[in-house]
Amino acid sequence: MRIARTLEEYAPHVGEKVIAEIYEHARKLYGTKIVHINSTYQGGGVAEMLLSLVPLMNYVGLEAEWRIISGRTEFFNVTKRIHNCLQGESGELTPEEQELHIRTNETFSEYTKIEHDAVIVHDPQPAPLIRFYKKRQPWIWRCHIDLSNPNTQVWSYLKQFILRYDRLIFSHEKYQPKNFPVKNYIIRPAIDPLIPKNQPLSDQEIEKLFKEFEIPTDKPIIAQVSRFDKWKDPEGVIDIFKQVKKEIDCRLILIGSMASDDPEGWQIYENVLKKAGSLIENREIILITIQHDLLVNAIQRKANVIIQKSLREGFGLTVTETLWKGRPVVASNVGGIPLQVKDGVNGFLLDPYDYTGFSEKIIYLLRHPETATRLGKAGKEIVREHFLITRLLKDYLKLLNDVFY
Amino acid sequence: MRIARTLEEYAPHVGEKVIAEIYEHARKLYGTKIVHINSTYQGGGVAEMLLSLVPLMNYVGLEAEWRIISGRTEFFNVTKRIHNCLQGESGELTPEEQELHIRTNETFSEYTKIEHDAVIVHDPQPAPLIRFYKKRQPWIWRCHIDLSNPNTQVWSYLKQFILRYDRLIFSHEKYQPKNFPVKNYIIRPAIDPLIPKNQPLSDQEIEKLFKEFEIPTDKPIIAQVSRFDKWKDPEGVIDIFKQVKKEIDCRLILIGSMASDDPEGWQIYENVLKKAGSLIENREIILITIQHDLLVNAIQRKANVIIQKSLREGFGLTVTETLWKGRPVVASNVGGIPLQVKDGVNGFLLDPYDYTGFSEKIIYLLRHPETATRLGKAGKEIVREHFLITRLLKDYLKLLNDVFY
């Protein structure tokens, strides 16, 4: 809940040098008024990052705020389609849908003054805002999605707003739109090591959580932490688990919160139930749908192997979380996962349809716990260096220095 | 969607004198920075009023903004209990629940600067915010609920924040807390005559909407516009309808949107289905759960009688909406309804358990359409004078003048 911390609390994780560098980059920015605008205070990686980033920006001397644009269900249906189309799905936006997107932004502008020194707009939902303000400061569009191969019609609709921005930010070199003339930066996502989902847990705390949720620990544990979503392929995970179980007796945990308004999610969940069959009654497969950050944390720390069998992935922050806990990951070679997992160094990368490969690697790690530990350690160091919130903060400060000076 | 209008557009409804008075009251407030804070951008009367009020405040020369405090589901579970307990339900808040309420407010304060000239906080959800800001301006707590008989424990918890406010606003003299030393005002809720739910509709437009939703118009129509909620007693409405139908052949429409996260609502809906039985298949009773403002508008205009059989009611803005459409209301004598409905003048007031009384009055109005028209006209004039958004705007301006000068 309460997440504002001192920057110094991060020193044990990242070293004092990083802390000093952050202050150095903040020096010219004292009192600079920044506003972040996205579309939700919770749910998803963007909100999670802002929840940590904004108070840290304030802590180092900026004046940072965070606003959300809100809209009716129809608005979010349209922006979800924009999102999917920008990532390459077919379809198009009708003039009415475009109008709804634009008008919701206009309405929001009637309730919200912007007198900041810089504006950072996240993702397509609030992108049209730029049209409804007198521009008195740099506007930065922070895009968390892959624009390398967008649906042409939707991208050409969105471009009319994006062209007005002064800077763009992408998570990955490969996600940049082709031949787009606005100056852009790469800033990779990050996790906060001090929030409940990632904070250190003692063995006793882990044990207590497993007892509380009645998860037995008498066998090795494989886990996937992901929503019940077709792109996370939980059914495929069960197939792989069945193959693994022929060789080694172990247990599978699938944990992922469910959006109450996501009928597709419940359908996937039903399929998983059917596929798992009696394994669920025997507690050989354990499905958990409640949202409980400490439990996720405990499972990521306790599992012998974490699997991430995504068919598609954005950056894959659940992988980052796992690596941070020093556990090896057997994961699909998709999206941002290969930025984090080096095959054989801190986990294994596989074609998402290579079921045999997945089960072999899992069996290998279960049989060679010392290798699992070594890979896990390597993963933690990669996250420490590249994917913690302090690095994200520093990147933003560098960008703002670049914009202003 | 787009709701900012000129104030002059209201002149045909309220007269030019009212418009001139509003400008008069705004004169000393030009450039005054106001922020409204509540907990949702949509759903419920508070959001609906702010959606119209904030742009109008800007239009007359203030600098008004609107922010929402957001929280996780647990936060809203706690604030819903606070709400119910303040209205008199038994129960108490555990220290953990109080902590969650307070911490969510504290977190929000880390993302949101307040440098306005006055702060208007709506209802209990964001009330603790006042503790987390250096007070540099008057803070006003606008309470939309009935505090006349609150649960003692919960009120004594909330009081520690409310005491810090400079002014309080209630909707009704009777809703004020007893012996509470902060200066307070009465401002009644209001509706906006220009939004889709209330805007003028031609007969052709009404007919088109009825056709679109396949609602036959061959018989007189009785309707209740309200969520499927135990306090709105839709089952009681069906009992009354059955009594009426013995005397006069007519049709009942129940229209109310359903919150997807409200299992109780669906249970009530199921009970209604069961109770209505074959009347639903025959389209003698029509249930509508989609949210469609223009359809609500059309039904309120087309119905021969509108019923509001609430067992409890806040102010009852659906009654205000109906009266504005010149239709007579047969309503329970609870909450804010008697502020709007004068028995025999613009509708009828009854004890909510007086089923016979309800059906007699409905039958009377169906048999005497000229009386129905006369009552409806009287209701429209009451709303015009007391319950339109222009009056609400004027009240806020008067209050701000009083606070500042």
Side-chain angles (χ1 to χ4, degrees):
Chain A
M1 178 54 52
R2 174 104 171 80
I3 53 89
R5 291 181 199 83
T6 71
L7 185 59
E8 292 66 36
E9 286 174 69
Y10 293 87
H13 295 295
V14 298
E16 292 178 348
K17 186 160 167 283
V18 168
I19 306 298
E21 282 169 9
I22 288 172
Y23 282 117
E24 186 60 39
H25 288 294
R27 209 141 286 159
K28 289 187 184 164
L29 299 170
Y30 295 154
T32 302
K33 294 183 179 185
I34 305 293
V35 62
H36 289 273
I37 306 173
N38 79 325
S39 64
T40 173
Y41 276 130
Q42 54 202 319
V46 178
E48 212 167 278
M49 282 185 274
L50 289 173
L51 206 59
S52 295
L53 182 68
V54 173
L56 284 173
M57 282 186 156
N58 280 315
Y59 187 78
V60 301
L62 284 72
E63 300 269 335
E65 295 197 81
W66 176 12
R67 305 277 159 78
I68 59 162
I69 184 172
S70 191
R72 291 180 170 230
T73 315
E74 305 91 280
F75 172 72
F76 288 106
N77 291 342
V78 169
T79 59
K80 191 170 183 178
R81 291 202 41 229
I82 293 177
H83 180 106
N84 290 338
C85 288
L86 288 175
Q87 303 229 66
E89 279 189 13
S90 61
E92 65 171 20
L93 286 187
T94 65
E96 292 73 30
E97 290 171 325
Q98 300 179 9
E99 184 72 10
L100 176 66
H101 185 216
I102 296 171
R103 288 301 149 237
T104 303
N105 274 268
E106 184 174 18
T107 300
F108 177 79
S109 75
E110 288 162 9
Y111 307 121
T112 309
K113 310 277 170 197
I114 293 189
E115 289 164 348
H116 301 76
D117 301 311
V119 183
I120 303 175
V121 172
H122 295 256
D123 285 338
Q125 298 93 335
L129 279 182
I130 195 166
R131 179 181 286 178
F132 302 106
Y133 288 93
K134 173 106 189 108
K135 213 171 159 195
R136 288 185 274 212
Q137 63 282 95
W139 283 63
I140 299 161
W141 190 54
R142 200 303 178 219
C143 177
H144 297 267
I145 61 188
D146 179 354
L147 288 190
S148 58
N149 192 21
N151 172 309
T152 324
Q153 191 251 1
V154 174
W155 175 228
S156 103
Y157 158 72
L158 194 69
K159 260 201 293 204
Q160 62 176 319
F161 306 108
I162 306 306
L163 266 170
R164 300 176 78 136
Y165 282 81
D166 301 286
R167 294 287 190 278
L168 311 182
I169 307 174
F170 294 95
S171 297
H172 193 321
E173 293 76 357
K174 290 183 184 162
Y175 293 178
Q176 299 173 55
K178 290 175 191 79
N179 304 318
F180 195 67
V182 181
K183 181 168 177 183
N184 66 55
Y185 301 84
I186 304 301
I187 297 186
R188 306 223 191 278
I191 60 168
D192 184 337
L194 301 184
I195 62 172
K197 199 158 40 153
N198 299 318
Q199 73 186 35
L201 288 180
S202 68
D203 290 347
Q204 290 90 319
E205 288 170 308
I206 294 172
E207 210 173 303
K208 208 179 140 211
L209 283 156
F210 271 70
K211 277 220 175 104
E212 190 184 333
F213 288 92
E214 296 174 355
I215 306 172
T217 54
D218 54 327
K219 296 178 191 177
I221 291 170
I222 305 170
Q224 175 162 298
V225 178
S226 279
R227 278 173 297 120
F228 289 86
D229 175 309
K230 62 181 171 185
W231 300 112
K232 311 297 182 186
D233 196 19
E235 296 181 64
V237 175
I238 291 190
D239 285 329
I240 290 167
F241 171 69
K242 286 178 179 170
Q243 286 189 33
V244 172
K245 209 167 157 60
K246 283 182 197 156
E247 299 287 324
I248 300 184
D249 190 20
C250 58
R251 185 167 278 118
L252 174 68
I253 303 175
L254 294 175
I255 178 167
S257 61
M258 295 287 302
S260 59
D261 59 347
D262 178 13
E264 207 179 77
W266 286 111
Q267 188 52 54
I268 303 283
Y269 184 80
E270 289 296 326
N271 297 349
V272 167
L273 273 183
K274 204 176 290 175
K275 187 147 212 165
S278 64
L279 288 167
I280 291 196
E281 290 144 46
N282 307 338
R283 310 275 295 156
E284 299 292 308
I285 296 180
I286 296 175
L287 305 186
I288 304 173
T289 57
I290 63 157
Q291 203 194 330
H292 194 300
D293 288 346
L294 280 177
L295 180 62
V296 167
N297 188 338
I299 289 170
Q300 285 170 332
R301 288 179 193 277
K302 183 79 181 174
N304 299 70
V305 180
I306 297 273
I307 183 168
Q308 187 70 49
K309 206 200 152 299
S310 305
L311 304 178
R312 262 163 96 150
E313 192 55 80
F315 183 73
L317 282 173
T318 54
V319 170
T320 328
E321 289 162 16
T322 295
L323 295 175
W324 178 242
K325 278 121 194 173
R327 301 314 305 157
V329 180
V330 180
S332 300
N333 192 357
V334 299
I337 295 178
L339 290 173
Q340 309 180 57
V341 178
K342 305 294 159 201
D343 191 52
V345 174
N346 62 338
F348 294 105
L349 286 177
L350 292 145
D351 181 284
Y353 296 99
D354 180 6
Y355 286 57
T356 311
F358 263 93
S359 50
E360 280 173 4
K361 294 302 183 190
I362 293 169
I363 292 166
Y364 179 83
L365 288 171
L366 290 176
R367 287 202 173 131
H368 299 86
E370 69 300 333
T371 309
T373 303
R374 181 168 50 78
L375 266 55
K377 272 191 183 153
K380 181 158 191 172
E381 292 315 307
I382 289 176
V383 175
R384 194 192 304 282
E385 189 164 346
H386 298 292
F387 304 118
L388 291 185
I389 192 81
T390 37
R391 194 272 308 146
L392 185 70
L393 173 60
K394 198 169 80 175
D395 280 355
Y396 270 108
L397 296 176
K398 281 158 79 172
L399 182 153
L400 291 168
N401 273 294
D402 185 47
V403 169
F404 288 121
Y405 303 104
Chain B
M1 175 58 49
R2 174 105 171 82
I3 53 89
R5 290 182 198 81
T6 70
L7 184 60
E8 291 67 34
E9 286 174 69
Y10 293 87
H13 295 295
V14 298
E16 292 178 350
K17 185 160 168 283
V18 168
I19 307 296
E21 281 169 8
I22 288 172
Y23 282 117
E24 185 61 40
H25 288 293
R27 209 141 285 159
K28 288 187 186 167
L29 298 170
Y30 294 153
T32 303
K33 294 183 181 190
I34 305 293
V35 61
H36 288 273
I37 306 173
N38 80 324
S39 65
T40 175
Y41 276 130
Q42 54 202 316
V46 178
E48 212 168 279
M49 281 185 274
L50 288 174
L51 205 60
S52 296
L53 181 67
V54 172
L56 284 174
M57 281 186 156
N58 281 315
Y59 187 80
V60 300
L62 285 71
E63 299 270 333
E65 294 197 80
W66 176 12
R67 306 277 157 77
I68 59 162
I69 185 172
S70 190
R72 293 178 170 232
T73 314
E74 304 91 280
F75 172 74
F76 288 106
N77 290 341
V78 169
T79 58
K80 191 169 184 181
R81 292 203 38 231
I82 293 177
H83 180 107
N84 290 339
C85 287
L86 288 174
Q87 302 230 69
E89 279 190 15
S90 61
E92 64 172 19
L93 285 188
T94 65
E96 292 72 32
E97 290 172 325
Q98 299 179 11
E99 184 71 9
L100 176 67
H101 185 216
I102 296 172
R103 289 301 149 237
T104 303
N105 275 269
E106 184 174 19
T107 300
F108 177 78
S109 75
E110 288 163 8
Y111 307 120
T112 310
K113 312 276 171 199
I114 294 189
E115 289 164 346
H116 301 76
D117 300 311
V119 184
I120 303 175
V121 172
H122 295 256
D123 285 338
Q125 299 94 333
L129 278 182
I130 195 167
R131 179 182 286 179
F132 302 106
Y133 288 92
K134 174 105 189 105
K135 213 172 159 191
R136 290 186 274 212
Q137 62 283 94
W139 282 62
I140 298 160
W141 189 53
R142 201 300 178 223
C143 178
H144 296 267
I145 61 188
D146 179 354
L147 288 190
S148 58
N149 193 21
N151 172 309
T152 324
Q153 191 250 2
V154 175
W155 174 229
S156 102
Y157 157 72
L158 195 70
K159 257 200 294 204
Q160 61 178 318
F161 307 108
I162 305 307
L163 266 171
R164 300 177 77 140
Y165 283 81
D166 300 287
R167 293 287 190 280
L168 311 181
I169 307 174
F170 294 95
S171 297
H172 193 320
E173 293 76 358
K174 289 184 184 162
Y175 292 176
Q176 299 174 55
K178 289 175 191 78
N179 303 316
F180 195 68
V182 182
K183 181 169 177 183
N184 66 55
Y185 300 83
I186 304 301
I187 297 186
R188 307 224 190 277
I191 60 168
D192 185 336
L194 300 184
I195 63 173
K197 200 159 38 153
N198 299 318
Q199 74 187 32
L201 288 180
S202 67
D203 290 345
Q204 292 88 319
E205 289 170 306
I206 295 172
E207 210 174 306
K208 208 179 142 212
L209 282 156
F210 270 71
K211 277 220 174 107
E212 189 183 334
F213 288 90
E214 296 174 355
I215 306 171
T217 53
D218 54 328
K219 296 177 192 178
I221 290 171
I222 304 170
Q224 175 163 299
V225 178
S226 281
R227 280 175 293 122
F228 289 86
D229 175 309
K230 62 180 169 186
W231 301 114
K232 310 298 183 187
D233 196 19
E235 296 179 66
V237 175
I238 292 191
D239 284 328
I240 290 166
F241 171 69
K242 286 178 179 170
Q243 286 190 32
V244 172
K245 209 166 158 59
K246 282 183 198 156
E247 300 287 323
I248 300 184
D249 190 21
C250 58
R251 184 169 279 119
L252 174 67
I253 302 176
L254 294 175
I255 177 167
S257 62
M258 296 287 302
S260 60
D261 59 347
D262 178 12
E264 207 179 78
W266 286 112
Q267 186 53 54
I268 303 282
Y269 185 80
E270 288 298 325
N271 297 350
V272 167
L273 274 183
K274 202 176 293 173
K275 187 148 212 164
S278 64
L279 289 167
I280 291 197
E281 290 144 45
N282 306 340
R283 309 276 293 157
E284 299 293 308
I285 296 181
I286 295 176
L287 306 185
I288 304 173
T289 58
I290 62 158
Q291 205 194 326
H292 195 300
D293 287 348
L294 279 177
L295 180 62
V296 167
N297 188 339
I299 289 170
Q300 286 170 332
R301 288 180 193 278
K302 182 79 181 174
N304 299 69
V305 180
I306 297 273
I307 182 168
Q308 186 69 50
K309 205 202 152 297
S310 306
L311 304 178
R312 262 163 96 150
E313 193 54 80
F315 182 73
L317 282 172
T318 53
V319 170
T320 327
E321 288 162 18
T322 295
L323 295 176
W324 178 243
K325 279 122 195 173
R327 300 315 303 156
V329 180
V330 180
S332 300
N333 192 357
V334 297
I337 296 177
L339 288 174
Q340 308 179 58
V341 179
K342 305 295 160 202
D343 191 53
V345 175
N346 62 338
F348 294 105
L349 286 177
L350 292 145
D351 180 283
Y353 295 99
D354 179 7
Y355 285 58
T356 311
F358 264 92
S359 50
E360 280 174 5
K361 295 300 182 190
I362 294 168
I363 291 166
Y364 179 84
L365 288 171
L366 290 176
R367 287 203 174 130
H368 300 85
E370 70 301 333
T371 308
T373 303
R374 182 168 49 78
L375 268 53
K377 271 191 184 152
K380 181 158 192 175
E381 292 315 308
I382 289 177
V383 175
R384 193 192 306 279
E385 188 163 348
H386 299 292
F387 303 118
L388 292 186
I389 192 81
T390 36
R391 194 272 308 147
L392 185 70
L393 173 60
K394 197 169 81 174
D395 279 354
Y396 270 107
L397 297 176
K398 281 159 78 172
L399 182 155
L400 290 169
N401 274 294
D402 184 47
V403 169
F404 288 121
Y405 302 103

